[in-house]
Amino acid sequence: MTLYWLLSVPAHGDGHVAWRDIKSRVVGGELYDFILPQFKIGTLDALVRLSDELAKFDAAYENTMSKFVETLRGLSGSTNRQLQGQLLVDDKPVDQYIRTFSWNNAKYRADRPLSEIVAQIAEQMGSVDSALKTKLTQYNAIKNSLATVRRKQNGNLSVRSLGGVVRPEHCIGNSEYLRTVFVAVPQQLSREWLNSYERLTDMVVPRSSQLVAEDAEYKLYSAVVFKRVFDEFSNKARDAKFIVRDFVYDPETVERDRLAAMEIVEQEQELLDNITEWLRGSFGDVVAAWMHVKALRVFVESILRYGIPPDFLPVLVRPPAKQAAKIKQQLADFYAYLETSTRASDRARSAAGKAKRQDDSGAFDMHEFSNILSSEYMPFVFFEVPWTFLDDAE
């Protein structure tokens, strides 16, 4: 997949010239219009708070996207190439949605205060996160139940259900005094079992043991004991490394367990289909929210850096992968004039604890707010749009 850059530079009254300036330095790359609506600007304090909040939401929603992709990959077993065709935003592949992004004014009205728009997106994404956690909790619970069922169905004779192994002829039948016990004996101890089971306790019926079933690890033997010595027999058998299974043959119980196991299998498949469908359907909402946060960040940071009235050009850039670092440096060099000595001096004064202030151009020194900026400072507004979750598609 692709890494994009979302940047904003001063237009100086002519966006066409600003576009050409960027285009001439992004050699081999592609530029796309990134049109923003006319937002309400608000106060400096409000913009600074929003800058901080938006940076956190940006990172959180990117993490949510990654979680969606990883969960889908794990649940469906789909390859990255298959997921590329399944994950859509407004019926478009993610790459296309990013390249053709336009503000959804029907959903996020631009004539509302920025803080309300951000709160709306946060509320929406909070609901998505909550739903994801709930669905994963439900699915993991039924998956654990299914694992238990499969272990009972497919495990070795020391753990698997004996309902489909033991037959009526293996049991003593209804008796007031006697009980049939079933013992899983490790293969290497089978001779020891046959030689010792009659002497584990008193009141064991002689020559009552018979082989019921076996697998690669265990042999399942039956034996008949008096009910009054069952607990003692079980303890002595355990000491000898024989595993007495807690099982009494009852046709109704066997059938009930079989139906319960089938129900769990059906529930697991139903939940799997449900959560997979929900993930694919909700993924577009997550990406859309993420891109709208990116758009808000560009606007807020551009106002903070370049001042009012708004006079900047936001652009989406797709740099050539092998030249990305070089092009980024060329852009930084070209726009280095934005970092004036006045700004540097204001930054120093700010570091010394002096009051923040607005410069003569009406722009605010973003060095004053370095705690909410990326550690890699650029002289212009710059954000990465790392849609790289499906890299190395098979």
Side-chain angles (χ1 to χ4, degrees):
M1 302 301 288
T2 308
L3 172 69
Y4 295 93
W5 295 340
L6 185 53
L7 53 88
S8 166
V9 299
H12 300 304
D14 193 338
H16 296 291
V17 172
W19 177 280
R20 287 197 302 268
D21 288 340
I22 298 173
K23 181 69 174 177
S24 64
R25 284 155 184 84
V26 185
V27 179
E30 299 175 4
L31 269 64
Y32 306 95
D33 289 318
F34 197 85
I35 301 174
L36 298 175
Q38 295 295 320
F39 293 114
K40 291 184 175 180
I41 296 175
T43 65
L44 170 61
D45 287 344
L47 290 174
V48 172
R49 285 195 299 271
L50 283 175
S51 177
D52 194 15
E53 291 178 9
L54 289 168
K56 295 175 182 177
F57 290 148
D58 189 349
Y61 302 163
E62 184 178 325
N63 181 64
T64 300
M65 281 195 305
S66 177
K67 189 184 300 182
F68 265 59
V69 171
E70 289 300 322
T71 303
L72 262 175
R73 186 187 289 118
L75 293 178
S76 67
S78 298
T79 64
N80 287 345
R81 187 176 298 279
Q82 291 170 332
L83 287 177
Q84 286 182 35
Q86 297 170 6
L87 299 178
L88 305 177
V89 189
D90 292 345
D91 297 322
K92 302 175 184 177
V94 178
D95 272 338
Q96 183 181 352
Y97 174 79
I98 292 174
R99 293 194 303 268
T100 60
F101 174 81
S102 63
W103 184 267
N104 187 344
N105 202 55
K107 189 171 186 178
Y108 307 114
R109 284 174 42 198
D111 60 351
R112 298 168 58 201
L114 291 174
S115 59
E116 292 185 11
I117 300 174
V118 173
Q120 179 185 353
I121 297 175
E123 181 180 5
Q124 172 197 341
M125 288 301 297
S127 298
V128 169
D129 280 335
S130 178
L132 177 60
K133 290 177 182 177
T134 299
K135 290 179 181 295
L136 286 178
T137 298
Q138 293 172 342
Y139 178 73
N140 287 332
I142 196 69
K143 188 177 179 180
N144 289 336
S145 298
L146 180 61
T148 301
V149 167
R150 286 176 173 163
R151 185 169 60 252
K152 290 181 177 180
Q153 291 176 336
N154 305 318
N156 61 47
L157 288 167
S158 70
V159 296
R160 70 179 297 184
S161 172
L162 299 184
V165 177
V166 175
R167 299 190 299 275
E169 58 265 29
H170 296 137
C171 306
I172 195 67
N174 293 328
S175 172
E176 184 178 355
Y177 301 105
L178 299 176
R179 172 175 176 174
T180 303
V181 296
F182 296 94
V183 184
V185 178
Q187 285 280 0
Q188 68 273 20
L189 298 180
S190 60
R191 182 177 296 276
E192 184 176 341
W193 161 261
L194 293 172
N195 292 333
S196 65
Y197 78 92
E198 295 177 356
R199 300 188 303 275
L200 289 176
T201 66
D202 295 331
M203 308 184 77
V204 177
V205 177
R207 295 185 297 279
S208 63
S209 181
Q210 60 177 313
L211 180 64
V212 176
E214 66 178 301
D215 57 29
E217 300 175 66
Y218 291 90
K219 288 184 177 181
L220 183 69
Y221 287 99
S222 65
V224 179
V225 303
F226 277 75
K227 291 181 179 179
R228 60 186 292 185
V229 301
F230 172 75
D231 290 340
E232 181 185 359
F233 181 88
S234 297
N235 292 332
K236 292 293 182 63
R238 188 178 303 111
D239 291 341
K241 299 183 179 179
F242 307 141
I243 303 173
V244 177
R245 298 297 310 276
D246 183 14
F247 178 79
V248 176
Y249 183 79
D250 175 31
E252 292 184 0
T253 300
V254 170
E255 179 63 12
R256 187 164 56 248
D257 289 346
R258 186 185 69 83
L259 293 176
M262 289 179 58
E263 183 178 359
I264 290 175
V265 171
E266 292 172 357
Q267 288 178 351
E268 189 271 344
Q269 187 60 53
E270 183 179 348
L271 277 176
L272 176 61
D273 293 342
N274 176 275
I275 192 172
T276 301
E277 182 179 356
W278 180 84
L279 283 166
R280 289 175 179 150
S282 300
F283 178 80
D285 294 333
V286 175
V287 176
W290 180 56
M291 284 301 297
H292 280 76
V293 165
K294 290 285 189 185
L296 289 169
R297 290 193 75 186
V298 168
F299 179 81
V300 169
E301 302 300 333
S302 296
I303 295 298
L304 288 172
R305 290 207 189 193
Y306 310 139
I308 53 177
D311 182 26
F312 57 88
L313 176 71
V315 178
L316 184 70
V317 177
R318 180 180 179 178
K322 295 182 179 180
Q323 299 295 320
K326 179 180 178 181
I327 292 173
K328 187 176 180 181
Q329 186 58 53
Q330 289 175 343
L331 288 169
D333 292 342
F334 181 77
Y335 289 104
Y337 71 89
L338 294 174
E339 187 173 9
T340 64
S341 59
T342 301
R343 294 179 183 275
S345 123
D346 284 346
R347 177 176 55 185
R349 286 193 292 271
S350 175
K354 295 188 178 180
K356 302 177 180 66
R357 65 177 181 273
Q358 186 174 352
D359 68 19
D360 293 340
S361 68
F364 303 102
D365 183 2
M366 284 310 296
H367 295 293
E368 308 251 1
F369 314 115
S370 58
N371 62 311
I372 56 177
L373 294 175
S374 167
S375 58
E376 184 182 5
Y377 179 79
M378 298 290 286
F380 52 90
V381 175
F382 177 91
F383 299 113
E384 289 186 345
V385 184
W387 174 237
T388 56
F389 304 109
L390 297 180
D391 275 351
D392 302 321
E394 301 171 13

